[in-house]
Amino acid sequence: MVNDPSGAGLTSRRARDRLVRILEQQGIRDRRVLEAIRSVPRHLFVEEALSHRAYENIALPIGHRQTISQPFIVARMTEALLEAGPMSTVLEIGTGSGYQAAVLAQLVDRVFSIERIQALSRSARELLSRLGINNVNLRHGDGAEGWPERAPYDGIILTAAPRDVPETLLTQLAPGGRLVAPVEGPDGRQQLVRYTRTDDAYVRDILDAVMFVPMLSGAEQ
Ligand code: SAH
């Protein structure tokens, strides 16, 4: 699993256990997802001044006007992605701090993740390597284009909300693959949706109401 170079493992152990209990109470059932959340040191993925709040079930700032998602949402999306069975490759749009990628890295063979803000992509790369997580590949760019060279993916997860899921991303799903994304509704509210690719169509189901930063177009230096 993850090695924690900060040595904060002992002090945060109780806080992590408490977070996992809260997620269970909120309906997360998948033991593997709960264990992944317990093992990834979230305090290293948030701004240092806020690390004491890292095991609360809240979104926190990560700089560049972006946030690390609430642990419940990370768990919920991961569970929704993996519900039908194990996956080998997953593509994430919106690396941010790298936390969601680190959680996925515990559960699938290989994670590909795209981030449009170069500074975030760079610090996520440093942190993941420091943690010894080496099955995550990062790219700086516009996630709307996906990562066609490594397609198809068993799973695709968006951690920023588009108005509509880009068609290009759906085409990069393997047959039987699943895409989970927050999508902007007409009334400014967002919904978590899941697409499952069948042999000749995409089945769409709506999961929960959510709140994510918008998906923006183009990459930023
Ligand atoms: N998964 C992240 C959450 C990051 S918030 C984590 O665990 O920390 C959403 C991220 O999506 C932001 O970093 C934002 O810059 C990025 N983003 C928004 N639009 C994007 C796009 N078109 N392509 C790639 N990244 C995008």
Side-chain angles (χ1 to χ4, degrees):
M1 284 260 140
V2 183
N3 75 61
D4 175 359
S6 76
L10 272 184
T11 49
S12 60
R13 178 66 203 246
R14 282 218 305 267
R16 293 187 199 194
D17 290 346
R18 190 177 339 110
L19 173 61
V20 166
R21 276 201 305 280
I22 289 170
L23 299 182
E24 280 181 292
Q25 282 160 12
Q26 293 192 343
I28 305 299
R29 295 275 168 266
D30 190 327
R31 294 305 322 167
R32 295 191 63 213
V33 172
L34 292 167
E35 284 318 311
I37 299 264
R38 197 199 306 274
S39 75
V40 175
R42 190 172 185 254
H43 63 279
L44 300 180
F45 291 82
V46 302
E47 289 174 3
E48 211 167 339
L50 291 166
S51 60
H52 64 290
R53 304 202 64 186
Y55 298 100
E56 293 178 34
N57 190 21
I58 51 174
L60 288 167
I62 55 172
H64 304 268
R65 290 183 291 127
Q66 305 301 324
T67 53
I68 183 174
S69 312
Q70 190 193 10
F72 171 74
I73 293 294
V74 173
R76 180 78 184 101
M77 290 179 82
T78 308
E79 196 175 60
L81 198 69
L82 296 172
E83 227 161 44
M87 290 187 169
S88 172
T89 56
V90 172
L91 172 67
E92 177 193 30
I93 309 304
T95 314
S97 67
Y99 178 72
Q100 171 78 70
V103 169
L104 284 167
Q106 314 302 308
L107 301 166
V108 305
D109 296 334
R110 190 147 290 279
V111 181
F112 298 88
S113 183
I114 308 175
E115 170 57 54
R116 65 180 291 279
I117 300 176
Q118 188 158 41
L120 286 175
S121 183
R122 217 175 259 156
S123 43
R125 185 187 304 274
E126 273 167 31
L127 180 52
L128 292 172
S129 125
R130 195 150 67 86
L131 291 171
I133 297 175
N134 49 30
N135 57 339
V136 178
N137 293 45
L138 298 183
R139 170 186 270 192
H140 170 233
D142 184 351
E145 293 155 26
W147 192 327
E149 299 86 345
R150 309 307 285 262
Y153 303 96
D154 301 317
I156 300 181
I157 188 167
L158 277 68
T159 65
R163 288 227 155 271
D164 292 299
V165 172
E167 186 74 31
T168 321
L169 293 180
L170 288 170
T171 64
Q172 291 178 21
L173 268 186
R178 294 171 150 209
L179 178 149
V180 175
V183 173
E184 299 259 20
D187 52 1
R189 294 193 200 171
Q190 297 176 4
Q191 285 175 322
L192 197 60
V193 298
R194 179 171 57 194
Y195 288 83
T196 305
R197 183 170 194 169
T198 63
D199 285 338
D200 51 7
Y202 298 97
V203 178
R204 181 180 191 266
D205 51 312
I206 295 176
L207 306 174
D208 302 299
V210 286
M211 205 48 212
F212 276 83
V213 296
M215 182 162 170
L216 303 175
S217 53
E220 198 177 281
Q221 288 312 306

